[in-house]
Amino acid sequence: MALEAKLVQKLSQNLLMTPQLQQAIKLLQLGRLEYQEAIERELLENPILEEVKEQEDHSYAPQEAPDASASFDGNEDSRNSYEEQGSPSQEQLGDSKVDWEDYLEAFTDSRGTATPRGLFDDEDRRPLEATLTRSESLYDHLVEQVRLLELSYTDKLIALHILGNLDKNGYLCLTHEELAENCGCTPEDVLQVVELFKGLDPAGVCARSLSECLHFQLERLGKDGTLEDKIVQHHLDKLQKRKYDQIAKAEKTTTEDVYKAVTTIQALEPHPGRPFADDSPRYITPDVYVYKVGDEYVISLNEDGLPKLRVSPYYLKVLQGEGAASGGKAYLQDRLKAASWLIKSIQQRQQTIYKVTESIMKFQRDFLEHGVERLKPLVLKEVADDIGMHESTVSRVTTNKYVHTPQGVFELKYFFTSGIKSGQGDVSSSAVKERIRSLIAAESPDNPISDQKIVDILKQENLDIARRTVAKYREALNIPPSSQRKKLF
């Protein structure tokens, strides 16, 4: 069969992702902050779009306010009339004169220095940057102390390299040899500067491991070479597992002495940089609110702070006019299509979020009434079938979206959990975790309940699960085993 070139027509159907559809999908999965940034970016790029501003109310006007316009209209009679009505006469003021320079000298500027013009001197006023407050970082705290030390140029260079290689916990990330190579000095020079850091605050900073950090702190307390120091240097693994009898046997001492040493070790700080960590709360703004009105739950979308868009009336008039250039008119028409599609995508996004939230709350009605322990197992397919959408759409909607309920603020993804068979039907894994947490929270410190005991309690509640499942859920809750929770002394 000879090869030949020919034209062939073929009819087929393909699913194409148009740019508009890609934009709608992207908007759907954005969180609140990213969504707001995307809208503001479109406002900057598309001249057809404009934000609808809330109308300011100018209806209030004080009736007794003086008409100051008379003093600026250039009319001498009006000025005299205004002075007669509103300006006090010299006789009313008397002969007393105020020396304003002497009066303002009583004021001082922000640095405590007296100035004839007081706080009205712009040159003496502190800059705005100096009035902002922020928590002191570990780096700044240590730099202030290093500046007070009398160091040579090489030692200052080593100190700066050490400060730049401390992690948030205050541990040194590089070895002494690596620091020496970076600074062009010897490891002994680095060790000499590290010894100076031992005297700085916080204690234990600049260590390379937990054992070294605790050792530095014990050195400052004058406990170098004591039982506490031996434990942190050689028996940290046994200390973690609370094998005090093995520590006592290895150090040839009594268990009571080990207990006393452990009490001292527990008072040390394993993370010296913790007080300087930025632990300021980060607040979540819910995308949806769920309120209880009577016996029903009402869903409300949170649109506060989000830009409200519309097509600019000015550019619509330009497009309708005949004087616009053909090239400019084509550009505006293209931008008009993009603006219209964006507004439509925003409306569709809000409607989809509302439908998905409404469906989730319908399935999780018991959660709204009684809390996490009544959370039901739920999968994406159930919600997708309920609202007639694809599972991928529901997954995008519930990503980085938060809902405010009578039980608290939760991510929409939180309501999708796996189920566990029980005598009362399927129970959500989140509900089981919450039950395990409550049981451990109510235990006695002297006699904590074991995983097997939790299994027996749950079995009495018609919830039959394996011990390894309880252990897995307990570890997911960051709760140590009963042997580590027990209070020994």
Side-chain angles (χ1 to χ4, degrees), residues 465-481:
I465 60 176
R467 187 189 62 82
R468 62 178 178 272
T469 305
V470 172
K472 182 179 71 173
Y473 287 170
R474 175 180 51 75
E475 292 173 357
L477 295 171
N478 293 323
I479 299 176

Side-chain angles (χ1 to χ4, degrees), residues 110-138:
S110 56
R111 294 169 296 183
T113 306
T115 170
R117 288 173 288 179
L119 293 177
F120 300 98
D121 190 353
D122 292 334
E123 296 179 357
D124 294 332
R125 186 175 299 169
R126 295 181 66 186
L128 178 62
E129 293 81 3
T131 63
L132 300 178
T133 59
R134 65 181 181 90
S135 58
E136 185 182 30
S137 65
L138 177 63

Side-chain angles (χ1 to χ4, degrees), residues 216-388:
F216 287 173
Q217 298 180 53
L218 290 172
E219 272 189 333
R220 181 173 296 191
L221 295 175
K223 294 183 177 295
D224 186 15
T226 60
L227 178 59
E228 294 88 344
D229 194 28
K230 294 177 181 178
I231 291 175
V232 300
Q233 291 195 61
H234 308 293
H235 307 291
L236 271 184
D237 54 340
K238 300 182 183 67
L239 178 63
Q240 181 183 5
K241 298 177 181 178
R242 297 193 171 191
K243 296 181 178 180
Y244 301 140
D245 54 343
Q246 297 184 13
I247 297 176
K249 183 178 179 180
E251 295 298 332
K252 298 179 180 181
T253 184
T254 62
T255 308
E256 289 74 14
D257 291 339
V258 174
Y259 285 165
K260 293 179 182 178
V262 170
T263 304
T264 303
I265 296 173
Q266 288 177 341
L268 303 178
E269 175 57 72
H271 302 297
R274 190 195 332 241
F276 304 93
D278 185 14
D279 294 333
S280 56
R282 289 171 172 80
Y283 299 98
I284 294 175
T285 303
D287 299 88
V288 190
Y289 284 91
V290 178
Y291 303 101
K292 186 174 183 180
V293 180
D295 295 333
E296 299 296 329
Y297 288 93
V298 179
I299 299 173
S300 175
L301 295 177
N302 182 17
E303 297 185 351
D304 293 341
L306 299 178
K308 298 176 177 59
L309 306 182
R310 71 174 182 185
V311 176
S312 173
Y314 170 77
Y315 285 105
L316 284 178
K317 292 181 180 179
V318 173
L319 285 171
Q320 294 172 358
E322 298 180 356
S326 58
K329 202 166 187 178
Y331 169 77
L332 291 178
Q333 288 176 348
D334 180 66
R335 294 290 85 196
L336 178 61
K337 291 179 181 179
S340 302
W341 183 264
L342 177 64
I343 295 174
K344 182 180 178 181
S345 300
I346 292 174
Q347 295 175 350
Q348 187 176 0
R349 176 185 186 271
Q350 299 299 87
Q351 292 173 2
T352 307
I353 293 175
Y354 183 91
K355 288 182 180 180
V356 171
T357 306
E358 185 181 32
S359 178
I360 292 174
M361 295 302 113
K362 182 177 67 175
F363 284 107
Q364 302 292 358
R365 174 76 182 233
D366 290 342
F367 163 82
L368 296 175
E369 294 285 350
H370 306 286
V372 179
E373 292 188 355
R374 298 293 292 272
L375 193 66
K376 292 183 178 180
L378 187 64
V379 294
L380 294 172
K381 181 173 175 52
E382 295 180 63
V383 175
D385 293 342
D386 182 53
I387 61 178

